[in-house]
Amino acid sequence: VSTAWGIKRQTTLSLYNHVKNGGKIGEKYVSQISWDDLRPTDALLLDNGKGKGHIMLYINSDKKNSDNLNVYEQNISTAIPYEPIPVARRDVRSKIALMKKGYVPIRLVGST
């Protein structure tokens, strides 16, 4: 997500805190958006407020079944942040299931 957004590398907790507190990353903000407003390169964030979470980059929704979201996500766990180098994989996730788990759609927006 950080690479796609062109920002300094972030953790789920740092993104969670930016959304919660309105903090800036460089000259931009990370804001929560509506599930109905998802656009390519938005992200789906889950964090418990203590650094345990996950993030996915939204690609698009399936045209035949809008509950199916196409996403990129890290496909290996990292015990030590950034080691080994995370690799993204494409996956399909259920919007309803993500909502039930507590994922939040977020977007990087220009300076205001």
Side-chain angles (χ1 to χ4, degrees), residues 5 14-23 25 28-39 41-47 55 98-110:
W5 284 359
S14 66
L15 288 170
Y16 170 86
N17 286 330
H18 285 299
V19 170
K20 185 177 171 188
N21 302 319
I25 302 174
K28 299 186 177 184
Y29 293 90
V30 180
S31 300
Q32 184 173 344
I33 59 170
S34 160
W35 282 96
D36 294 330
D37 192 30
L38 277 171
R39 296 189 298 214
T41 73
D42 287 337
L44 307 172
L45 173 70
L46 176 69
D47 194 280
I55 192 162
L98 294 175
M99 292 170 79
K100 285 181 182 177
K101 288 182 181 178
Y103 277 83
V104 175
I106 61 174
R107 177 177 297 148
L108 185 68
V109 293

